[in-house]
Amino acid sequence: MRQFVVLGHDAPTTPDFSLNDLPGSAGRIDVLCRCINSAFFLSHDVRENVRLFLVHQDEVCIRLEGSDLRHLNPDERTTASLLRKALEAGQDLVGAMEVESTPGIYVSKKSFGEILGGIDESSTVVELHEEGVPINELGVPENPFFVLSDHNDFTRDEEELLAEYRDERVKLSPEVLHADHSIIVAHNYLDTRGFRHY
Amino acid sequence: MRQFVVLGHDAPTTPDFSLNDLPGSAGRIDVLCRCINSAFFLSHDVRENVRLFLVHQDEVCIRLEGSDLRHLNPDERTTASLLRKALEAGQDLVGAMEVESTPGIYVSKKSFGEILGGIDESSTVVELHEEGVPINELGVPENPFFVLSDHNDFTRDEEELLAEYRDERVKLSPEVLHADHSIIVAHNYLDTRGFRHY
């Protein structure tokens, strides 16, 4: 299993945004849509062994399960529409409740800390950060759990939380990459090195 | 210099499409928008040493130059709006004419064959194809010119043309990747292996 969590610092927590202005009034939800695309799509196929958590302002958590996903298309607009449905379904949740808004997409009020706290012990928690060590020094973790930030840096609080849980802090490239591009490179690292023979 | 050409088999050749339906009535122009994002964006930066050709149904060619690009945002909708401006500017072109529709974006009626015919001799023409050899057998070409298809396979005519020009035929992954994801992986291959020390 490959897992990713992306922190959406500006991402909306309610569904009242326009699909015609994803980078503006919708709080850069376009970034999260591209992360979904990167996490799940292969050509004419979906990666079933992937789980993605999107954390919207540490208030709402949307979890996507590759094995159950339906109605997902590669473009940003239809993906944003699925996220809007999730935010709508999640409006009245309290405590640890979670609901499935469309097949394979679940919404809850979990915080970043609660997600980190729920990570299975078999996972290797990998922070992706431009100041980390090159990923090829990491080897090939069996159950990687990658933690990424959106177009903003991790906050100091997030860094402190992460420091409690992370096993590795790596960079994927000498360049500083967008979050969605990082997911592609992380997948490729695993695709070509360990999960399958290449 | 890194160059890419992407064949958009269904991509519109005229600007009369809606920004609200990029994957539908706009002929999957969303695929080309994501290729632009992959080719040029770094975090808070643009890759200046990149040139991208988009071939719309072998009738219209849109050329993007990283060193001159302005007004480019990562999201699909504003990128599609720049492509629409290019298609509008290109409507009355004939012969070898080319115009700049917005900074760094040029439009002409060049065909795929004309683009291949114009490739500089210092370039290594690399076809990206799932049946190619693994890219790590290629080494690190100095001036790679990658040729990709969109969500459709190359046609037989395109394959025959390509066979005349290509130096290598490689695959990037044991998985079959979307065109925009392939561009990310190709960049990463070069970023980590040759153009800069890593």
Side-chain angles (χ1 to χ4, degrees):
Chain A
M1 170 68 87
R2 303 176 188 181
Q3 299 186 69
F4 299 87
V5 54
V6 182
L7 300 179
H9 293 93
D10 304 327
T13 58
T14 56
D16 51 346
F17 60 85
S18 165
L19 296 178
N20 294 339
D21 187 24
L22 302 180
S25 56
R28 297 306 313 273
I29 205 168
D30 61 310
V31 177
L32 301 185
C33 294
R34 288 194 294 280
C35 287
I36 292 174
N37 176 309
S38 295
F40 293 107
F41 279 107
L42 290 171
S43 185
H44 308 295
D45 206 359
V46 164
R47 291 183 186 268
E48 295 200 351
N49 68 335
V50 171
R51 176 178 298 145
L52 170 65
F53 299 91
L54 304 174
V55 182
H56 294 226
Q57 296 185 48
D58 213 20
E59 287 181 27
V60 177
C61 172
I62 298 178
R63 174 169 65 89
L64 298 97
E65 296 285 339
S67 53
D68 304 329
L69 277 175
R70 299 287 178 278
H71 315 312
L72 190 65
N73 286 305
D75 71 293
E76 289 170 16
R77 189 184 172 92
T78 55
T79 305
S81 150
L82 292 177
L83 293 181
R84 198 162 66 169
K85 279 185 188 158
L87 293 172
E88 199 171 332
Q91 284 196 108
D92 299 323
L93 296 180
V94 289
M97 290 167 64
E98 185 179 64
V99 291
E100 186 172 14
S101 53
T102 52
I105 303 186
Y106 304 82
V107 59
S108 71
K109 301 279 189 186
K110 270 190 187 162
S111 67
F112 180 46
E114 286 170 307
I115 295 166
L116 290 175
I119 296 176
D120 189 87
E121 278 197 8
S122 72
S123 294
T124 303
V125 179
V126 182
E127 178 186 356
L128 293 181
H129 197 283
E130 62 197 82
E131 289 168 9
V133 300
I135 192 168
N136 49 14
E137 294 179 16
L138 171 65
V140 182
E142 192 76 20
N143 290 301
F145 188 106
F146 293 101
V147 185
L148 300 85
S149 186
D150 59 1
H151 58 294
N152 298 300
D153 290 335
F154 293 112
T155 64
R156 182 174 296 191
D157 285 351
E158 289 161 356
E159 276 288 6
E160 283 177 7
L161 251 176
L162 246 176
E164 289 177 39
Y165 290 94
R166 76 169 170 234
D167 299 300
E168 309 283 347
R169 193 183 200 216
V170 307
K171 65 174 169 181
L172 298 165
S173 164
E175 304 289 354
V176 186
L177 304 178
H178 279 193
D180 56 315
H181 297 180
S182 296
I183 292 173
I184 294 296
V185 174
H187 268 320
N188 186 251
Y189 178 82
L190 298 169
D191 289 341
T192 55
R193 277 177 184 81
F195 278 82
R196 299 189 188 201
H197 178 69
Y198 186 49
Chain B
M1 170 68 89
R2 303 176 187 180
Q3 299 187 70
F4 298 88
V5 55
V6 182
L7 300 179
H9 293 93
D10 304 327
T13 57
T14 56
D16 51 347
F17 60 83
S18 165
L19 295 179
N20 295 340
D21 187 24
L22 302 180
S25 57
R28 298 305 313 274
I29 205 168
D30 60 310
V31 176
L32 301 186
C33 293
R34 288 194 293 280
C35 287
I36 292 173
N37 176 309
S38 296
F40 292 106
F41 279 107
L42 291 169
S43 185
H44 308 295
D45 206 358
V46 164
R47 292 183 185 267
E48 295 200 350
N49 67 337
V50 171
R51 176 178 297 144
L52 170 66
F53 298 91
L54 304 173
V55 183
H56 294 226
Q57 297 185 46
D58 214 21
E59 287 179 29
V60 177
C61 171
I62 298 177
R63 174 168 65 88
L64 297 97
E65 297 284 340
S67 52
D68 303 331
L69 276 175
R70 299 287 177 280
H71 315 313
L72 191 65
N73 286 305
D75 71 294
E76 289 171 15
R77 187 184 173 93
T78 55
T79 305
S81 150
L82 292 178
L83 293 181
R84 198 162 66 168
K85 278 185 187 157
L87 292 172
E88 198 170 335
Q91 284 196 107
D92 298 324
L93 297 179
V94 289
M97 290 167 64
E98 185 179 64
V99 291
E100 187 173 13
S101 53
T102 52
I105 303 186
Y106 304 82
V107 58
S108 71
K109 300 280 190 186
K110 270 189 187 163
S111 67
F112 180 45
E114 286 170 306
I115 294 165
L116 290 175
I119 295 175
D120 189 88
E121 279 196 8
S122 72
S123 294
T124 303
V125 179
V126 182
E127 178 186 354
L128 294 181
H129 196 285
E130 62 196 82
E131 291 169 7
V133 300
I135 192 169
N136 48 13
E137 294 181 16
L138 170 64
V140 182
E142 192 76 19
N143 291 300
F145 188 106
F146 293 102
V147 185
L148 301 86
S149 187
D150 59 2
H151 57 294
N152 298 300
D153 290 335
F154 292 113
T155 65
R156 182 175 295 191
D157 285 352
E158 288 162 356
E159 276 287 7
E160 283 177 8
L161 251 176
L162 247 176
E164 288 177 40
Y165 290 94
R166 76 170 170 233
D167 299 302
E168 309 284 349
R169 193 184 201 215
V170 307
K171 65 173 168 181
L172 297 166
S173 165
E175 303 289 353
V176 186
L177 304 178
H178 279 195
D180 56 316
H181 297 180
S182 296
I183 292 172
I184 294 296
V185 174
H187 268 321
N188 186 252
Y189 177 81
L190 298 169
D191 289 342
T192 55
R193 278 178 184 78
F195 278 81
R196 299 189 188 200
H197 178 68
Y198 186 50

